[in-house]
Amino acid sequence: MNATITASELASDLAGPNPPVLLDVRWQLGGPDLRSAYEEAHIPGAVFVDLDSELAGPAGAAGRHPLPDPEVFGAAMRAAGVSGNRDVVVYDGGQGWAAARAWWLLGHSGHPSVRVLDGGFAAWTGPVSSAVPAPTPGTFVPAPGARPSLDADAAAALARSGLLLDARAGERYRGEVEPIDRVGGHIPGAVSAPTSENVTEDGRFLPAPELADRFTSLGATPAVEVGVYCGSGVSGAHQVLALAVAGIPAALYVGSWSEWSQDESRPVAVGPDPQ
């Protein structure tokens, strides 16, 4: 199954006999949740999911957005109507990061059929609603491990043995600025690959062949194991999604730089070069 879906394809699926479960995951880094925006207008039938409390555990030594407790995540998904035998479509405001986090986490937890609305809510031209639905509870029970993930040690090793992509902005990778974490820079050996270069100006993914060319130019060949990290495991999920669109499997380092940089014993590289 494709990892993404267009707005027109979603409209067709919603009008069909087996419409997907819709999850609205609008979110902003460092700001209040966007439930109020959801309540004002959303795709009819969509259920709001809060990234910070339902798609991540409490911030701490494992980073700003560690994996949520499977029981907490499972309860949130069942309350939203998610079952393992029903398609799920997730969307956010258009940036794609939060929706990709939901896509990755559901897939990692064993759900077989999850797609991201390409371009997010901004791409939707159909009717909208302010009615908050009360879905029939789903039956989804998370079984974590269905998608590959990395811890800090595995990420460090992969940066040497394979290809570890840093999805943050280039200036953070180079260590020129660091607005959030303890120190700027990157994991030694990691290659800069800003997530922003995977999409067009309107937030839609580049065509699969263009994405494949981009990642191949960065070193993602069939013989190379690929991993991704970012600031806290959110935009990195978007990079994993872009790689999936390109047909390239990749593991996500969920703790990412927010975990790595907390440990002063871990090395930090600065500048434009991986080493």
Side-chain angles (χ1 to χ4, degrees), residues 15-68:
N18 298 301
V21 173
L22 269 179
L23 303 181
D24 184 313
V25 200
R26 277 179 277 184
W27 171 81
Q28 55 187 343
L29 178 64
D33 73 52
L34 296 179
R35 186 181 296 273
S36 59
Y38 160 82
E39 291 175 347
E40 181 177 337
H42 52 264
I43 299 175
V47 176
F48 183 77
V49 174
D50 180 59
L51 186 149
D52 289 317
S53 64
E54 296 175 321
L55 303 181
R64 286 193 306 279
H65 292 106
L67 291 179

Coordinates of all heavy atoms in Angstrom, one line a residue, residues 15-68:
A15 N -16.3 8.3 0.5 CA -17.6 8.1 -0.1 C -17.9 6.7 -0.4 O -19.0 6.3 -0.8 CB -17.7 9.0 -1.3
G16 N -16.9 5.8 -0.2 CA -17.0 4.4 -0.5 C -17.7 3.6 0.6 O -18.0 4.1 1.7
P17 N -17.8 2.3 0.4 CA -18.5 1.4 1.4 C -17.7 1.2 2.7 O -18.2 0.8 3.7 CB -18.7 0.1 0.6 CG -17.6 0.1 -0.4 CD -17.4 1.6 -0.8
N18 N -16.3 1.3 2.6 CA -15.5 1.1 3.8 C -14.5 2.3 4.0 O -13.3 2.2 3.8 CB -14.6 -0.2 3.5 CG -15.5 -1.4 3.4 OD1 -16.3 -1.8 4.3 ND2 -15.4 -2.1 2.2
P19 N -15.1 3.4 4.5 CA -14.3 4.6 4.7 C -13.2 4.4 5.7 O -13.4 3.6 6.7 CB -15.3 5.6 5.1 CG -16.4 4.9 5.7 CD -16.5 3.6 4.9
P20 N -12.1 5.0 5.6 CA -11.0 4.9 6.6 C -11.3 5.6 7.9 O -12.1 6.6 7.9 CB -9.8 5.5 5.9 CG -10.4 6.5 5.0 CD -11.7 5.9 4.5
V21 N -10.7 5.2 8.9 CA -10.7 6.0 10.1 C -9.8 7.3 9.9 O -8.7 7.1 9.3 CB -10.1 5.2 11.3 CG1 -9.9 6.1 12.5 CG2 -11.0 4.1 11.7
L22 N -10.3 8.4 10.2 CA -9.5 9.7 10.0 C -9.0 10.2 11.3 O -9.8 10.4 12.3 CB -10.4 10.7 9.4 CG -10.5 10.8 7.9 CD1 -11.5 11.9 7.5 CD2 -9.2 11.1 7.2
L23 N -7.7 10.5 11.4 CA -7.1 11.1 12.5 C -6.5 12.5 12.2 O -5.7 12.6 11.3 CB -6.0 10.2 13.1 CG -6.4 8.8 13.4 CD1 -5.1 8.0 14.0 CD2 -7.5 8.7 14.4
D24 N -6.9 13.5 12.9 CA -6.4 14.9 12.8 C -5.3 15.1 13.8 O -5.6 15.1 15.0 CB -7.6 15.8 13.0 CG -7.2 17.3 12.8 OD1 -6.2 17.7 13.3 OD2 -8.0 18.0 12.1
V25 N -4.1 15.3 13.3 CA -3.0 15.3 14.2 C -2.3 16.7 14.1 O -1.1 16.8 14.1 CB -1.9 14.2 14.0 CG1 -1.0 14.0 15.2 CG2 -2.6 12.9 13.6
R26 N -3.1 17.8 13.9 CA -2.5 19.1 13.8 C -1.7 19.4 15.1 O -2.2 19.2 16.2 CB -3.6 20.1 13.5 CG -3.9 20.2 12.0 CD -5.0 21.1 11.7 NE -6.3 20.6 12.0 CZ -7.4 21.2 11.7 NH1 -7.4 22.5 11.2 NH2 -8.6 20.7 11.9
W27 N -0.5 20.0 14.9 CA 0.4 20.2 16.0 C 1.4 21.3 15.7 O 1.7 21.5 14.5 CB 1.1 18.9 16.3 CG 2.3 18.9 17.2 CD1 2.2 18.9 18.6 CD2 3.7 18.9 16.9 NE1 3.5 18.9 19.1 CE2 4.4 18.9 18.1 CE3 4.4 19.0 15.7 CZ2 5.8 18.9 18.2 CZ3 5.8 19.0 15.7 CH2 6.5 19.0 16.9
Q28 N 1.9 22.0 16.7 CA 3.0 23.0 16.5 C 4.0 22.8 17.5 O 3.8 22.6 18.7 CB 2.4 24.4 16.5 CG 1.6 24.8 17.7 CD 1.0 26.1 17.6 OE1 1.3 26.9 16.7 NE2 0.0 26.4 18.5
L29 N 5.3 22.8 17.1 CA 6.4 22.6 18.0 C 6.5 23.8 19.0 O 6.5 24.9 18.7 CB 7.7 22.6 17.1 CG 9.0 22.5 17.9 CD1 9.1 21.1 18.6 CD2 10.2 22.6 17.0
G30 N 6.5 23.4 20.3 CA 6.7 24.3 21.3 C 5.4 25.2 21.6 O 5.5 26.1 22.5
G31 N 4.3 24.9 21.0 CA 3.1 25.8 21.2 C 2.0 25.0 21.8 O 2.1 23.8 22.0
P32 N 0.9 25.6 22.1 CA -0.3 24.9 22.7 C -0.8 23.9 21.6 O -0.6 24.1 20.4 CB -1.3 26.0 23.0 CG -0.9 27.1 22.1 CD 0.6 27.0 21.9
D33 N -1.6 22.9 22.1 CA -2.2 22.0 21.1 C -3.2 22.7 20.2 O -3.7 23.8 20.6 CB -2.7 20.8 21.8 CG -4.1 21.0 22.5 OD1 -5.0 21.6 21.9 OD2 -4.2 20.7 23.7
L34 N -3.4 22.2 19.1 CA -4.3 22.8 18.1 C -5.7 22.2 18.1 O -6.4 22.2 17.1 CB -3.7 22.7 16.7 CG -2.4 23.4 16.5 CD1 -1.8 23.2 15.1 CD2 -2.5 24.9 16.8
R35 N -6.1 21.7 19.2 CA -7.5 21.2 19.3 C -8.5 22.2 19.0 O -9.6 21.9 18.3 CB -7.8 20.7 20.7 CG -9.1 20.0 20.9 CD -9.3 19.5 22.3 NE -8.3 18.5 22.7 CZ -8.5 17.2 22.5 NH1 -9.5 16.7 21.8 NH2 -7.5 16.3 22.9
S36 N -8.3 23.5 19.3 CA -9.2 24.5 19.0 C -9.4 24.7 17.5 O -10.5 24.9 17.0 CB -8.8 25.9 19.6 OG -7.5 26.3 19.2
A37 N -8.3 24.6 16.7 CA -8.4 24.6 15.3 C -9.2 23.5 14.7 O -10.0 23.6 13.8 CB -7.0 24.7 14.7
Y38 N -9.0 22.3 15.3 CA -9.7 21.1 14.9 C -11.2 21.3 15.2 O -12.1 21.0 14.3 CB -9.2 19.9 15.7 CG -10.2 18.7 15.7 CD1 -10.3 17.9 14.7 CD2 -11.0 18.6 16.9 CE1 -11.2 16.8 14.7 CE2 -11.9 17.5 16.9 CZ -12.0 16.6 15.8 OH -12.9 15.6 15.9
E39 N -11.5 21.9 16.3 CA -13.0 22.1 16.7 C -13.6 23.1 15.8 O -14.8 23.1 15.6 CB -13.1 22.4 18.2 CG -12.7 21.3 19.1 CD -12.7 21.7 20.6 OE1 -12.7 22.9 20.8 OE2 -12.6 20.8 21.4
E40 N -12.8 24.0 15.3 CA -13.4 25.0 14.4 C -13.7 24.4 13.0 O -14.8 24.7 12.4 CB -12.4 26.2 14.2 CG -12.9 27.3 13.4 CD -11.9 28.5 13.3 OE1 -11.1 28.6 14.2 OE2 -11.9 29.2 12.3
A41 N -12.8 23.6 12.5 CA -13.0 23.0 11.2 C -12.1 21.8 11.0 O -10.9 22.0 11.2 CB -12.8 24.0 10.1
H42 N -12.7 20.7 10.6 CA -11.9 19.5 10.2 C -12.6 18.7 9.2 O -13.7 19.0 8.8 CB -11.6 18.7 11.5 CG -12.9 18.3 12.2 ND1 -13.3 19.1 13.3 CD2 -13.8 17.3 12.0 CE1 -14.5 18.5 13.8 NE2 -14.8 17.5 13.0
I43 N -11.9 17.7 8.6 CA -12.5 16.9 7.6 C -13.6 16.1 8.4 O -13.3 15.5 9.5 CB -11.5 15.9 7.0 CG1 -10.4 16.7 6.3 CG2 -12.2 15.0 6.0 CD1 -9.3 15.9 5.7
P44 N -14.8 16.0 7.8 CA -15.9 15.4 8.6 C -15.5 13.9 9.0 O -15.0 13.1 8.2 CB -17.0 15.4 7.5 CG -16.7 16.6 6.7 CD -15.2 16.6 6.6
G45 N -15.8 13.7 10.3 CA -15.5 12.3 10.8 C -14.2 12.2 11.4 O -13.9 11.2 12.1
A46 N -13.3 13.1 11.3 CA -11.9 13.0 11.8 C -12.0 13.2 13.3 O -12.7 14.0 13.9 CB -11.0 14.1 11.2
V47 N -11.1 12.4 14.0 CA -10.9 12.5 15.4 C -9.6 13.2 15.8 O -8.6 12.8 15.2 CB -11.0 11.1 16.1 CG1 -10.7 11.1 17.6 CG2 -12.3 10.4 15.8
F48 N -9.6 14.1 16.7 CA -8.3 14.8 17.0 C -7.5 13.9 17.9 O -7.9 13.3 18.9 CB -8.6 16.1 17.8 CG -7.4 16.9 18.1 CD1 -6.8 17.6 17.2 CD2 -6.9 16.9 19.4 CE1 -5.6 18.4 17.5 CE2 -5.7 17.6 19.7 CZ -5.1 18.3 18.7
V49 N -6.2 13.9 17.6 CA -5.2 13.1 18.4 C -4.1 14.1 18.8 O -3.6 14.8 17.9 CB -4.6 12.0 17.6 CG1 -3.5 11.3 18.3 CG2 -5.7 10.9 17.2
D50 N -3.7 14.2 20.0 CA -2.7 15.1 20.5 C -1.4 14.4 20.5 O -1.1 13.4 21.1 CB -3.1 15.5 22.0 CG -2.0 16.5 22.5 OD1 -1.8 17.6 21.9 OD2 -1.4 16.2 23.5
L51 N -0.4 15.0 19.7 CA 0.9 14.4 19.6 C 1.6 14.3 20.9 O 2.2 13.2 21.2 CB 1.7 15.2 18.5 CG 3.1 14.6 18.2 CD1 3.4 14.9 16.7 CD2 4.2 15.1 19.1
D52 N 1.6 15.4 21.6 CA 2.5 15.4 22.9 C 2.0 14.4 23.9 O 2.8 13.9 24.6 CB 2.5 16.8 23.4 CG 3.3 17.8 22.6 OD1 4.4 17.4 22.1 OD2 2.8 18.9 22.3
S53 N 0.7 14.2 24.1 CA 0.2 13.3 25.1 C -0.2 11.9 24.7 O -0.2 11.0 25.5 CB -1.0 14.0 25.8 OG -2.1 14.1 24.9
E54 N -0.4 11.8 23.4 CA -0.9 10.5 22.9 C 0.0 9.8 21.9 O 0.0 8.5 21.8 CB -2.3 10.6 22.3 CG -3.3 11.1 23.3 CD -4.7 11.4 22.6 OE1 -4.7 12.0 21.5 OE2 -5.7 11.1 23.3
L55 N 0.9 10.5 21.3 CA 1.8 9.9 20.3 C 3.3 10.0 20.9 O 4.2 9.7 20.1 CB 1.8 10.6 19.0 CG 0.4 10.6 18.3 CD1 0.5 11.3 16.9 CD2 -0.1 9.2 18.1
A56 N 3.4 10.4 22.1 CA 4.7 10.5 22.8 C 4.6 10.3 24.3 O 3.5 10.6 24.8 CB 5.4 11.8 22.5
G57 N 5.6 9.8 24.9 CA 5.7 9.7 26.3 C 6.2 11.0 26.9 O 6.5 12.0 26.2
P58 N 6.2 11.1 28.2 CA 6.7 12.3 28.9 C 8.2 12.6 28.5 O 9.0 11.7 28.4 CB 6.6 12.1 30.4 CG 5.6 11.0 30.5 CD 5.8 10.1 29.2
A59 N 8.5 13.9 28.3 CA 9.9 14.3 28.0 C 10.8 13.9 29.2 O 10.4 14.0 30.3 CB 10.0 15.8 27.7
G60 N 12.0 13.6 28.8 CA 13.0 13.2 29.9 C 14.3 12.8 29.3 O 14.7 13.3 28.2
A61 N 15.0 11.9 29.9 CA 16.3 11.4 29.5 C 16.2 10.8 28.1 O 17.3 10.8 27.4 CB 16.9 10.4 30.5
A62 N 15.1 10.2 27.7 CA 15.0 9.6 26.4 C 14.6 10.6 25.3 O 14.4 10.2 24.2 CB 13.9 8.5 26.5
G63 N 14.6 11.9 25.6 CA 14.3 12.9 24.6 C 13.0 13.6 24.8 O 12.2 13.3 25.8
R64 N 12.7 14.5 24.0 CA 11.4 15.4 24.1 C 10.2 14.6 23.7 O 9.1 14.9 24.2 CB 11.5 16.6 23.3 CG 12.5 17.7 23.9 CD 12.3 19.0 23.2 NE 12.5 19.0 21.8 CZ 13.6 19.0 21.1 NH1 14.7 19.0 21.8 NH2 13.6 18.9 19.8
H65 N 10.3 13.7 22.8 CA 9.1 12.9 22.3 C 9.5 11.4 22.2 O 9.5 10.8 21.2 CB 8.7 13.4 20.9 CG 8.1 14.8 21.0 ND1 8.8 15.9 20.5 CD2 6.9 15.2 21.4 CE1 8.0 17.0 20.6 NE2 6.9 16.6 21.2
P66 N 9.7 10.8 23.4 CA 10.0 9.4 23.4 C 8.7 8.6 23.0 O 7.6 9.1 23.0 CB 10.4 9.1 24.8 CG 9.7 10.1 25.6 CD 9.7 11.4 24.7
L67 N 8.9 7.3 22.8 CA 7.8 6.5 22.4 C 6.8 6.5 23.6 O 7.2 6.4 24.8 CB 8.2 5.0 22.2 CG 9.0 4.8 20.9 CD1 9.4 3.3 20.8 CD2 8.2 5.2 19.7
P68 N 5.5 6.5 23.3 CA 4.5 6.5 24.4 C 4.4 5.1 25.0 O 4.8 4.1 24.3 CB 3.2 6.9 23.7 CG 3.4 6.4 22.3 CD 4.8 6.6 22.0

